[in-house]
């Protein structure tokens, strides 16, 4: 079974940067998009960034636009999330996810559209 493993989370001060990585144990046949979601305590899971596997077209939630960058290394089966100008409200557990469905990046990103999930990596931003 394909597994997604996130890494790169940590604790930073506001204004800092982090780079999250998500490695797939193998290519998931039919992958259409990959995305990063986050969930803070007491809040719903939020899709923050996504990328189409083929076209590399990307989507960003308004809350992270201009600060986060998603990228994909097909050869390494790895998706990255570069986060800069971090704010305390970015504090959350960050998950990567894979979808084989069409229109998987139709905004807003919808968690039920994604079939495969990692375990998450914690990002904590202090003021």
């Amino acid at each position: 079974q394909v597994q997604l493993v996130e890494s790169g989370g940590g604790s930073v001060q506001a204004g800092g940067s982090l780079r999250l990585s998500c490695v797939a144990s193998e290519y998931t046949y039919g992958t259409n998009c990959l995305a990063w979601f986050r969930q803070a305590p007491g809040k719903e899971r939020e899709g923050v960034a996504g990328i189409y596997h083929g076209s590399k077209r990307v989507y960003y939630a308004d809350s992270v636009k201009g600060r986060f960058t998603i990228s994909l290394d097909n050869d390494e089966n790895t998706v990255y999330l570069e986060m800069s100008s971090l704010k305390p409200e970015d504090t959350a557990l960050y998950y990567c996810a894979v979808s084989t469905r069409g229109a998987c990046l139709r905004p807003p990103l919808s968690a039920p559209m994604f079939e495969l999930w990692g375990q998450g990596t914690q990002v904590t931003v202090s003021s």
Side-chain angles (χ1 to χ4, degrees):
Q1 185 175 355
V2 178
Q3 292 185 324
L4 301 178
V5 180
E6 302 99 333
S7 62
S11 297
V12 296
Q13 290 192 326
S17 300
L18 284 172
R19 186 195 199 202
L20 306 184
S21 301
C22 174
V23 180
S25 56
E26 60 186 80
Y27 170 70
T28 301
Y29 182 78
T31 292
N32 191 23
C33 6
L34 302 95
W36 286 93
F37 287 75
R38 66 185 181 188
Q39 189 164 20
K43 295 189 176 181
E44 291 188 359
R45 193 166 295 194
E46 173 193 19
V48 297
I51 184 167
Y52 279 107
H53 187 267
S55 69
K56 304 299 189 295
R57 186 159 58 93
V58 298
Y59 160 85
Y60 296 100
D62 287 343
S63 57
V64 306
K65 201 171 292 183
R67 300 187 299 121
F68 289 12
T69 302
I70 188 171
S71 61
L72 175 63
D73 184 332
N74 287 339
D75 292 338
E76 299 294 329
N77 291 330
T78 303
V79 60
Y80 300 97
L81 187 67
E82 298 268 5
M83 306 185 296
S84 62
S85 301
L86 284 162
K87 306 174 181 179
E89 50 264 43
D90 294 319
T91 295
L93 189 60
Y94 283 71
Y95 300 90
C96 68
V98 168
S99 176
T100 62
R101 299 188 170 113
C104 36
L105 295 193
R106 180 178 295 167
L109 293 185
S110 174
M113 288 288 286
F114 290 78
E115 303 107 316
L116 184 63
W117 292 82
Q119 294 299 306
T121 184
Q122 178 67 38
V123 172
T124 303
V125 185
S126 58
S127 57

